[in-house]
């Protein structure tokens, strides 16, 4: 595709519910990143995929958060038992090679998650 | 989280003036990148500078890097109203992890 796309653009849910956020990276990009951004803050790293595998998931805040990338392209971030503190913009980015190669990350427009 | 820090946090200038933003970071790096963000949504990559480089230019942008001080600066020359945005630096916390660590950002407002 032309760029990174994320769906939905906005998601409102109730506390305790389960949500899935989807990211479609740029075709051919092997690296995929998820970030979370709270108001007035910079993006906070959550997880990085190289191909199908999670190379670094140390940013996931707790075991309610999980992400997959089964075929090495589309990724889904899953949040169980949502809490009000999970409200944020969730950003996805992809790059051709990955960290250490110094290549550019291309960001999607983000999904704004609101937990009531 | 180990975010870097940008300063100033906010900057307001007149169109045509230059804008300088600074970024400090905590870890060793392989490269440092600057991004722009409009309206709190997707980030746009501006420029990447590697740890063995000291200065880089791209159009009206000039980035410097001082690894001994663990700091970088972004200069935007002849600013335009369209440059109004938040600007973030990101470092790759090298070696050992795959994280990109973003700073807290500088909110730039260019007045027409």
């Amino acid at each position: 595709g032309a760029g990174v796309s994320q769906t939905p653009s906005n998601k409102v849910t109730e506390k305790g519910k389960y949500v899935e956020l989807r990211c479609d990276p740029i075709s051919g990009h092997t690296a995929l990143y998820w970030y979370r951004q709270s108001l007035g803050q910079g993006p906070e790293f959550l997880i990085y995929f190289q191909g199908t595998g999670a190379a670094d998931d140390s940013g996931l805040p707790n075991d309610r958060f999980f992400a997959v990338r089964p075929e090495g392209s589309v990724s889904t971030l899953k949040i169980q038992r949502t809490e009000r503190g999970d409200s944020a913009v969730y950003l996805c980015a992809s790059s051709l090679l990955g960290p250490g190669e110094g290549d550019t990350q291309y960001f999607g427009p983000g999904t704004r998650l609101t937990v009531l | 989280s180990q975010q870097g820090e940008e300063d100033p946090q906010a900057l307001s200038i007149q169109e045509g003036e230059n804008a300088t933003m600074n970024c400090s970071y905590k870890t060793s790096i392989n490269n440092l990148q600057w991004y722009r963000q409009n309206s709190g949504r997707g980030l746009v990559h501006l420029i990447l500078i590697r740890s063995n480089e000291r200065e880089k230019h791209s159009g009206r942008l000039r980035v410097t890097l001082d690894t001994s001080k663990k700091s970088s600066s972004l200069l935007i020359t002849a600013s335009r109203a369209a440059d109004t945005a938040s600007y973030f630096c990101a470092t790759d916390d090298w070696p050992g992890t795959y994280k990109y660590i973003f700073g807290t950002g500088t909110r730039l407002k260019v007045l027409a």
Side-chain angles (χ1 to χ4, degrees):
Chain A
V4 178
S5 62
Q6 292 186 245
T7 54
S9 57
N10 286 284
K11 176 70 177 179
V12 180
T13 191
E14 293 179 342
K15 180 175 179 293
K17 298 289 188 182
Y18 168 82
V19 296
E20 289 190 350
L21 311 178
R22 176 187 167 107
C23 172
D24 273 278
I26 293 172
S27 178
H29 280 194
T30 62
L32 186 145
Y33 309 81
W34 282 99
Y35 295 87
R36 178 169 70 174
Q37 187 175 24
S38 301
L39 192 63
Q41 300 294 313
E44 178 186 8
F45 171 85
L46 296 178
I47 188 169
Y48 154 65
F49 286 90
Q50 182 62 255
T52 60
D56 187 339
D57 64 357
S58 61
L60 296 177
N62 51 59
D63 62 5
R64 295 186 299 105
F65 288 74
F66 189 71
V68 296
R69 196 186 184 199
E71 297 178 358
S73 56
V74 171
S75 176
T76 304
L77 178 65
K78 308 179 180 190
I79 311 174
Q80 298 178 323
R81 304 183 304 280
T82 52
E83 299 177 357
R84 292 193 181 88
D86 298 336
S87 296
V89 175
Y90 288 81
L91 296 165
C92 175
S94 70
S95 67
L96 186 61
L97 298 173
E101 306 297 333
D103 60 340
T104 299
Q105 292 182 80
Y106 295 88
F107 280 80
T111 294
R112 185 180 301 279
L113 175 66
T114 303
V115 181
L116 301 177
Chain B
S1 62
Q2 299 177 21
Q3 285 194 334
E5 293 183 2
E6 278 100 335
D7 86 275
Q9 290 187 344
L11 179 61
S12 186
I13 60 173
Q14 294 292 326
E15 205 167 29
E17 294 181 337
N18 295 342
T20 299
M21 289 159 268
N22 302 296
C23 164
S24 60
Y25 56 91
K26 299 176 183 178
T27 65
S28 298
I29 64 169
N30 187 43
N31 65 74
L32 182 146
Q33 305 184 41
W34 283 91
Y35 288 84
R36 184 186 72 224
Q37 185 177 41
N38 294 87
S39 304
R41 299 305 285 259
L43 286 83
V44 175
H45 180 263
L46 295 176
I47 198 165
L48 178 150
I49 187 165
R50 298 183 189 277
S51 60
N52 61 354
E53 297 175 312
R54 291 296 167 258
E55 186 171 312
K56 206 158 182 180
H57 297 254
S58 176
R60 294 185 295 112
L61 306 180
R62 172 178 166 249
V63 168
T64 61
L65 178 64
D66 186 336
T67 53
S68 67
K69 295 181 180 177
K70 289 187 165 59
S71 68
S72 174
S73 67
L74 170 67
L75 168 68
I76 304 174
T77 60
S79 63
R80 306 166 181 168
D83 294 328
T84 295
S86 291
Y87 291 82
F88 296 91
C89 67
T91 55
D92 61 351
D93 192 11
W94 197 255
T97 79
Y98 299 97
K99 295 179 182 179
Y100 279 101
I101 303 172
F102 282 78
T104 51
T106 293
R107 292 181 298 284
L108 173 66
K109 188 169 186 179
V110 181
L111 304 170

